[in-house]
């Protein structure tokens, strides 16, 4: 058997400790797969006394991450997240020719073009399976398994925390705040949970997926997003009655006008596999011209699921170490010189079916006034549901429109809200049929 792959681990939190546990448990099996052992020799964390669930014997543990980035190892694993100092550490390790494995979606989404270039310049291996979808090997699926395809769209539930929150609200009637607190306790949430609930984390992941699916440079700034904070228990209930589930969806599509990328709470048909992806699970649907639709689902967050992806990258590194850079799968799935910029479809032009929910006074002529606005704007109604008002209360109206541009949906809702009998606080959510 060849010499072990020596690994330096930066960050020994939930995921870092899980990496050590899984390597200890499955080390023999992993060695049989890659022909050598994968051994963590150095690790850094802020407070080494906080390590509880794994064995640090034989590992040089310190508090200085730069010491690990500069240590005599074959691969550096970055698990501290955030932009700085992660970026400097990764660039330093790559600069010294070390392979780098990272789970850092924010860093890749925002600075991945630069990091990929640095890896290339150094001829070093850069791997990031754990950055998207936790344990789901979606990076490998897109970069390798679907390499024959022209991919036209991908859509996914790629933030476990917001999926967990919406699932708990639907199934248990749990409040938004309680469900978020539970997700944090279970280790799903980001250090700053606004990244989860406002769609930033999913937008980071979507930017990475879109880049490797379409062969375009990373462009996080072009991802439009809306958080799940606007979704009410009533919306969840009405959506169910109309045959849909509300999911935190990220979608990237390529068409003749360019690419669109967005993260929005979205109504998904109840029978679609994405609608059945509950709790902290993630699922990603990819459509390729040759393969058709595939859906990959699994645990999108949590220690061992994410460690599964980190270690899969280390296995690739162990197998490929010493190979000429041209034999490595390109970081972004396409040869660097073959990445092509595509125009981004302006947010107002992005077309979708819409769910509009209004609270209206219980008076004659209200429905006619609302449907007249839609008729005047040439927007077709695909479904409509009115809930009978309780005594002296307002009525609730939910409408699903035909596919229309975002700007037209906004305009229609603004006109409806200007009517005297429409109360404040309407909802406007996308509906995706995956056709
Ligand atoms: N905060 C992320 C999530 C963790 O909830 O999905 C995995 O990236």
């Amino acid at each position: 058997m060849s010499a072990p792959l020596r690994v330096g681990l930066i960050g020994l939190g939930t995921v870092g400790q899980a990496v050590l546990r899984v390597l200890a448990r499955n080390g023999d099996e992993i060695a049989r797969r890659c022909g050598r052992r994968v051994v963590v020799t150095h690790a850094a964390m802020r407070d080494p006394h906080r390590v509880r669930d794994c064995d640090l014997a034989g590992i040089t543990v310190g508090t200085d991450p730069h010491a690990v980035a500069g240590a005599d190892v074959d691969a550096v694993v970055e698990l501290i997240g955030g932009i700085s100092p992660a970026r400097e550490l990764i660039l330093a390790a790559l600069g010294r020719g070390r392979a780098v494995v990272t789970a850092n979606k924010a860093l890749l989404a925002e600075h991945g073009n630069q990091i990929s270039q640095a890896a290339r310049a150094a001829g070093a291996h850069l791997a990031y399976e754990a950055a998207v979808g936790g344990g789901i090997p979606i990076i490998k699926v897109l970069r390798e398994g679907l390499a024959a395809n022209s991919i036209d769209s991908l859509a996914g539930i790629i933030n476990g925390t917001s999926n967990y929150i919406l699932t708990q609200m639907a199934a248990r009637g749990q409040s938004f705040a309680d469900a978020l607190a539970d997700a944090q306790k279970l280790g799903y949430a980001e250090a700053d949970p606004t990244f989860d609930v406002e769609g930033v984390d999913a937008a980071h992941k979507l930017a990475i997926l879109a880049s490797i699916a379409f062969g375009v440079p990373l462009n996080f700034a072009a991802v439009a997003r809306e958080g799940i904070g606007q979704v009410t228990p009533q919306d969840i209930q009405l959506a169910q009655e109309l045959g849909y589930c509300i999911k935190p969806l990220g979608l990237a599509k390529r068409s003749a006008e360019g690419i669109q990328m967005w993260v929005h709470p979205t109504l998904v048909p109840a029978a679609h596999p994405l609608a059945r992806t509950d709790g902290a699970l993630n699922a990603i649907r990819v459509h390729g011209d040759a393969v058709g639709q595939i859906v990959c689902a699994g645990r999108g967050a949590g220690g061992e699921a994410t460690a599964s992806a980190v270690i899969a990258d280390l296995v690739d590194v162990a197998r490929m170490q010493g190979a000429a850079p041209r034999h490595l799968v390109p970081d972004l799935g396409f040869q660097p010189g073959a990445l092509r910029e595509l125009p981004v479809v302006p947010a107002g032009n992005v077309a979708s079916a819409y769910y509009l929910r209004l609270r209206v006074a219980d008076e004659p002529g209200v429905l006619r006034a609302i449907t007249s606005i839609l008729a005047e704007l040439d927007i077709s109604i695909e479904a409509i549901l009115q809930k009978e008002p309780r005594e002296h209360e307002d009525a609730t109206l939910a409408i699903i429109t035909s596919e229309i541009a975002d700007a037209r949906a906004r305009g229609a809702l603004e006109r409806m809200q200007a009517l005297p009998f429409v109360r404040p606080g309407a909802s406007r959510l996308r509906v995706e049929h995956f056709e």
Side-chain angles (χ1 to χ4, degrees), residues 105 158-161 188-190 196 201 205 300-301:
K105 52 263 162 132
I158 44 179
N159 181 264
T161 300
Y188 304 146
E190 294 302 297
D196 295 298
D201 176 70
K205 294 166 178 168

